[in-house]
């Protein structure tokens, strides 16, 4: 279970995250949406223990995996890029197959396209086990097929491992097809929270309504 109480993150005078209370179950998949700068990455980074909160308490499980918004590659081929650390070669091969990257196995990872690199980045994360999976815009560089593969891989990982998944996204497709719950952030605050379909159909506040309206036409 993840429990957040009175969480605040400030940069100087500016509060970029302000969450009085949020509880997420150990098996829940939650999508966070919101405009650029609404605090999605900041929240995921705090949960991952990468940056410090300014105030409040955050309870998270011990084993956490985090996929950053910016994908990266190490020198070497795709397998090496996945197994870096301690995961197994067989698992890496299975994931490359699943994410339709097998034909690129012998290529240098640094030569991949943006969408391929993002899927490789997901393979690296999914080759390990965790209790909490944090994914920062996991389909942002993907085309429709790539996004479909990512969504499927996340679901399968969750079925195999049983963990909580928190992801930020600008994709209504990702939210609708893979999340149990959609939370919309506005200026670091929770503006809407509920089942994705319900939030999309009945956003609650006027602000959320206009955000969703823009979201739907962009998709
Ligand atoms: N190191 C930092 N110093 C100052 N401001 C920051 C820093 N990191 C993030 N911010 C600000 O915090 C706000 C939230 O950023 P972020 O969490 O990256 O938003 P999102 O991921 O939703 O686009 C933004 O206004 C951003 O400029
Ligand atoms: Mg971000």
């Amino acid at each position: 279970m993840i429990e957040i109480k009175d969480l605040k993150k400030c940069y100087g005078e500016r509060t970029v995250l302000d969450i009085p209370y949020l509880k997420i179950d150990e098996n829940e998949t939650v999508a966070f949406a919101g405009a650029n700068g609404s605090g999605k990455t900041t929240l995921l980074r705090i949960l991952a223990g990468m940056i410090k909160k300014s105030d409040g308490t955050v309870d998270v499980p011990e084993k956490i995996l985090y996929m950053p918004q910016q994908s990266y590659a190490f020198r070497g081929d795709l397998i090496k890029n996945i197994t870096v650390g301690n995961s197994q070669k067989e698992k890496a091969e299975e994931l490359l197959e699943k994410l339709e990257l097998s034909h690129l196995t012998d290529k240098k990872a640094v030569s991949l396209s943006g969408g391929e690199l993002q899927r490789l980045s997901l393979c690296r994360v999914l080759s390990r086990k965790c209790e909490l999976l944090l994914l920062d815009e996991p389909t942002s560089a993907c085309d429709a097929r790539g996004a479909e593969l990512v969504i499927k891989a996340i679901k399968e990982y969750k079925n195999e491992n049983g963990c909580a998944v928190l992801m930020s996204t600008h994709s209504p497709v990702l939210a609708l097809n893979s999340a149990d719950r959609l939370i919309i952030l506005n200026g670091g605050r929770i503006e809407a929270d509920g089942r994705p379909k319900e939030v999309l159909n009945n956003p609650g506040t006027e602000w959320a309504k206009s955000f969703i309206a823009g979201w739907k036409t962009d998709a």
Side-chain angles (χ1 to χ4, degrees):
M1 189 185 78
I2 297 133
E3 195 170 34
I4 291 171
K5 286 181 193 159
D6 300 317
L7 174 64
K8 278 196 169 73
K9 177 66 183 177
C10 309
Y11 288 109
E13 298 280 286
R14 224 178 126 224
T15 303
V16 299
L17 202 60
D18 185 353
I19 301 181
Y21 188 77
L22 179 63
K23 191 179 130 191
I24 293 165
D25 291 338
E26 58 197 18
N27 254 312
E28 231 174 344
T29 297
V30 184
F32 288 87
N36 290 329
S38 58
K40 304 180 294 296
T41 296
T42 303
L43 174 61
L44 295 180
R45 281 190 179 150
I46 288 173
L47 295 174
M50 295 171 67
I51 57 171
K52 284 187 183 158
K53 54 191 165 27
S54 306
D55 206 357
T57 57
V58 166
D59 281 329
V60 287
E62 204 167 302
K63 278 185 248 155
I64 299 176
L65 289 171
Y66 171 75
M67 175 176 155
Q69 188 167 356
Q70 202 70 43
S71 300
Y72 57 87
F74 303 109
R75 252 194 302 181
D77 63 19
L78 271 55
I79 298 278
K80 201 173 163 195
N81 262 267
I82 298 171
T83 56
V84 60
N86 55 7
S87 53
Q88 291 175 343
K89 190 168 179 250
E90 294 71 32
K91 189 78 202 163
E93 282 167 347
E94 181 195 317
L95 283 162
L96 287 173
E97 183 82 38
K98 203 176 270 186
L99 274 305
E100 294 186 358
L101 293 168
S102 297
H103 62 294
L104 300 168
T105 299
D106 299 329
K107 292 262 189 319
K108 285 181 182 161
V110 290
S111 69
L112 296 182
S113 77
E116 291 163 350
L117 184 60
Q118 191 166 42
R119 280 180 281 145
L120 175 67
S121 186
L122 185 72
C123 290
R124 191 184 287 135
V125 171
L126 299 188
S127 67
R128 293 158 174 82
K129 287 186 189 301
C130 74
E131 295 158 285
L132 172 59
L133 184 60
L134 302 170
L135 307 168
D136 202 347
E137 297 197 23
T139 60
S140 60
C142 294
D143 58 17
R145 176 68 184 157
E148 199 179 300
L149 295 171
V150 167
I151 290 171
K152 193 161 167 264
I154 295 169
K155 274 190 188 161
E156 287 177 6
Y157 177 87
K158 198 179 148 173
N159 286 342
E160 279 167 29
N161 295 278
C163 61
V165 181
L166 271 61
M167 54 194 167
S168 72
T169 186
H170 289 289
S171 160
V173 175
L174 183 65
L176 277 169
N177 291 348
S178 60
D180 306 312
R181 187 170 164 191
L182 171 62
I183 294 179
I184 298 181
L185 292 175
N186 175 20
R189 292 165 187 271
I190 294 177
E191 186 83 31
D193 180 352
R195 290 183 158 278
K197 240 189 196 156
E198 284 165 17
V199 172
L200 288 172
N201 292 331
N202 188 13
T205 68
E206 281 306 309
W207 184 92
K209 208 186 247 178
S210 71
F211 174 77
I212 297 278
W215 216 24
K216 274 183 177 163
T217 47
D218 285 353

